[in-house]
Amino acid sequence: MLTGEEYLASLNDGRATFFEGEEVKNIPEHPVMGTAARLTAATYDRFHNPEPGAVNLLMTPPRSPGDLRDLIPVLSEADIVTRVTFGSLMALLTAADRLAEAGAGHVDAILAYHEQAKKADVRITECITDAKGDRARPPQKQTDPDAYVHVVDRSDEGVVIRGAKLHITGASYGHDLMVMPTKRMGAEAGEYSIACAVPVNASGVSIINSSYAPRGEDVRHFPHTSHDHMPDGFVVFDDVFVPRERVFLDGDPQYAAVFAHSLGLWERIGGVSQMTRNAELLVGFAHLIADANGLLGVAHIKDKLAEMIIHATMLRAGLEAALHNAVVTPQGFVHPNELYTNAAKYQGAANYSLMVRHLHDIAGGSLLTAPTIGDLENPQTGDYVRKYMQGRPGVPAENRLKVFHAIRDHTADAYGGWHAATNVLSGGGLYAQRSVASNHFDVEAAREMALADAGIESWTA
């Protein structure tokens, strides 16, 4: 297993990564990207075991619903790159199980890669969303064939791929990029039916990063994102060679959806876990600021808090249902129930903006305009800040100020916008969750129940 320092050293391996127009030669020392690197390093140290042959708990697939239930809260406390690594490996194992049932190939390559990744203690990021070009056209009919990642050459040794993957959280912070088809592929899209693991420092890979991280010198105004942020990568594959042992799907469009759906499932259960934690955090913020404002007893504040509590509770219930009804595959691995996972993810994403609206309505305009901690400490302004930021007696003005900062940082600044969009778009978007949930709901049982209740023996003549 790697230590945090060994992980940080491993990032300086010649990878081509860029940030705001400049190439980053040393990620750990970069003023913005270095913070995210140290966040991932901290998870390495947290789970490090120096015993020979030890394997990170978060690289180990659960073998029972109980194992999965125990693992989810541990994952939620890890950095996002480690969480994505777990989801990527589990998506591969889920896909391998489904490929084995279909009698398809590549299963051995998947299982071998999983073992190698565990032993090397690498971090993996998911590359699924293509540039897509003209969305009305399938991959093979695009004006630019590179709009979707595709194979441009094959040999016994491996394949060469070209294209780009967008919205890749933490792309510069892993060791491997897990490339998978973005969706179900038609019969003519064989060249676009590619799944493989690409080293981040492979020749032809370039990563262009963007970030919601704060840029101010005094980061105390950003109590969350000053220490917890992760850039997103725009990943380019410019004729990248991938060895055959790292190829998990090649030219079999009938199995493309297996990878897309497997990855979507694990992305969504991770999303539900984070949504649940975040919903409960928003309730905490709302209650604290209502208390500081002296408004806990006001009827409309109590109503909004109740809605936020119900939302958080229903998300928690959906997460529990997905874990309690987890499925044990023939290979002995476990994956969460798809119906409850997708229903909960949809519910969380569809209602997030309303919960934030409630929080903002409870908090008031100071969530945007509250002075900084520097203003509080300045002898020329500090007394004014304490005097006029005071809410109800008993709650220090400084505490009220800090809660306003936290609410703004989480919901009304760069991270708030990022979070609002990713809540809807991550894991395939609302349409995908509606579709999968509908496909896994037992409509026939519901129809039979309705027919019996209506006293109808036969629906058709």
Side-chain angles (χ1 to χ4, degrees):
M1 295 176 66
L2 299 180
T3 65
E5 284 300 316
E6 289 170 335
Y7 162 74
L8 291 175
S10 74
L11 297 179
N12 293 326
D13 57 2
R15 61 189 61 195
T17 188
F18 302 83
F19 186 77
E20 295 186 346
E22 297 182 354
E23 186 169 6
V24 178
K25 295 294 188 179
N26 190 315
I27 291 175
E29 294 184 4
H30 190 272
V32 174
M33 296 187 69
T35 300
R38 289 188 291 275
L39 191 67
T40 303
T43 301
Y44 266 103
D45 284 337
R46 178 181 173 189
F47 291 96
H48 181 69
N49 183 343
E51 294 296 322
V55 174
N56 192 323
L57 169 67
L58 303 184
M59 304 281 278
T60 306
R63 295 282 182 171
S64 71
D67 287 347
L68 181 59
R69 178 187 293 277
D70 292 342
L71 195 57
I72 290 296
V74 179
L75 274 170
S76 70
E77 297 298 325
D79 68 280
I80 193 169
V81 174
T82 301
R83 297 199 303 268
V84 170
T85 298
F86 173 79
S88 298
L89 291 175
M90 288 308 305
L92 270 185
L93 293 176
T94 302
D97 194 79
R98 293 170 178 177
L99 290 174
E101 289 180 2
H106 303 288
V107 174
D108 289 344
I110 291 173
L111 297 179
Y113 174 79
H114 176 250
E115 287 301 312
Q116 179 269 324
K118 282 198 306 182
K119 291 177 181 177
D121 203 16
V122 299
R123 293 296 180 263
I124 302 164
T125 53
E126 301 165 351
C127 294
I128 188 165
T129 304
D130 296 274
K132 295 183 180 178
D134 183 347
R135 271 64 169 174
R137 297 184 180 187
Q140 70 276 12
K141 293 187 178 180
Q142 293 288 326
T143 302
D144 184 345
D146 300 341
Y148 287 76
V149 170
H150 61 121
V151 176
V152 295
D153 192 24
R154 288 186 180 88
S155 67
D156 291 341
E157 288 73 33
V159 300
V160 177
I161 62 173
R162 185 188 302 159
K165 293 286 188 178
L166 281 55
H167 328 311
I168 314 305
T169 300
S172 292
Y173 296 85
H175 302 101
D176 284 343
L177 300 159
M178 186 62 63
V179 177
M180 292 188 183
T182 191
K183 61 181 180 180
R184 184 184 303 276
M185 294 291 175
E188 298 177 357
E191 305 308 308
Y192 296 89
S193 301
I194 177 70
C196 56
V198 180
V200 176
N201 67 341
S203 177
V205 172
S206 298
I207 304 173
I208 305 167
N209 295 277
S210 61
S211 177
Y212 53 79
R215 303 295 199 273
E217 290 185 9
D218 188 345
V219 296
R220 292 176 299 175
H221 202 43
F222 301 86
H224 177 74
T225 55
S226 61
H227 63 86
D228 190 347
H229 60 78
M230 184 59 63
D232 293 302
F234 184 113
V235 184
V236 178
F237 301 93
D238 188 5
D239 290 358
V240 176
F241 173 74
V242 185
R244 183 61 61 183
E245 64 270 16
R246 284 173 161 258
V247 176
F248 313 127
L249 178 73
D250 177 22
D252 298 314
Q254 66 268 37
Y255 300 121
V258 169
F259 286 88
H261 290 166
S262 298
L263 184 58
L265 171 62
W266 286 99
E267 274 197 356
R268 289 165 200 162
I269 194 63
V272 172
S273 175
Q274 292 303 305
M275 281 179 170
T276 301
R277 184 177 184 278
N278 189 61
E280 293 166 353
L281 177 64
L282 295 189
V283 170
F285 283 150
H287 205 278
L288 286 174
I289 205 61
D291 183 19
N293 291 343
L295 297 174
L296 277 178
V298 175
H300 79 89
I301 300 293
K302 292 167 69 176
D303 287 345
K304 292 179 176 69
L305 279 167
E307 282 196 43
M308 295 176 72
I309 288 168
I310 290 169
H311 172 72
T313 303
M314 293 307 296
L315 277 178
R316 176 66 65 181
L319 175 62
E320 288 294 323
L323 300 177
H324 180 75
N325 295 282
V327 177
V328 181
T329 71
Q331 301 293 324
F333 304 121
V334 174
H335 65 74
N337 179 280
E338 294 203 58
L339 171 61
Y340 296 118
T341 297
N342 281 272
K345 175 65 167 63
Y346 178 89
Q347 197 70 13
N351 289 284
Y352 175 74
S353 294
L354 176 59
M355 299 305 115
V356 170
R357 190 185 84 185
H358 286 337
L359 174 59
H360 290 176
D361 202 16
I362 292 169
S366 289
L367 74 94
L368 295 176
T369 63
T372 67
I373 298 298
D375 296 316
L376 185 71
E377 294 174 344
N378 186 332
Q380 294 176 280
T381 58
D383 288 342
Y384 295 136
V385 173
R386 289 183 184 89
K387 177 179 176 66
Y388 294 110
M389 286 305 297
Q390 182 65 50
R392 78 164 178 84
V395 177
E398 182 175 355
N399 289 353
R400 183 167 178 255
L401 191 69
K402 287 181 176 180
V403 174
F404 278 133
H405 291 169
I407 293 172
R408 190 211 71 255
D409 195 16
H410 271 274
T411 65
D413 221 310
Y415 174 62
W418 179 90
H419 200 175
T422 56
N423 253 2
V424 173
L425 300 173
S426 65
L430 296 178
Y431 170 78
Q433 280 112 67
R434 285 199 303 267
S435 176
V436 176
S438 297
N439 289 340
H440 285 84
F441 185 81
D442 194 344
V443 174
E444 286 305 312
R447 284 170 60 94
E448 290 298 322
M449 187 187 305
L451 286 171
D453 194 75
I456 300 172
E457 293 185 3
S458 177
W459 179 242
T460 57

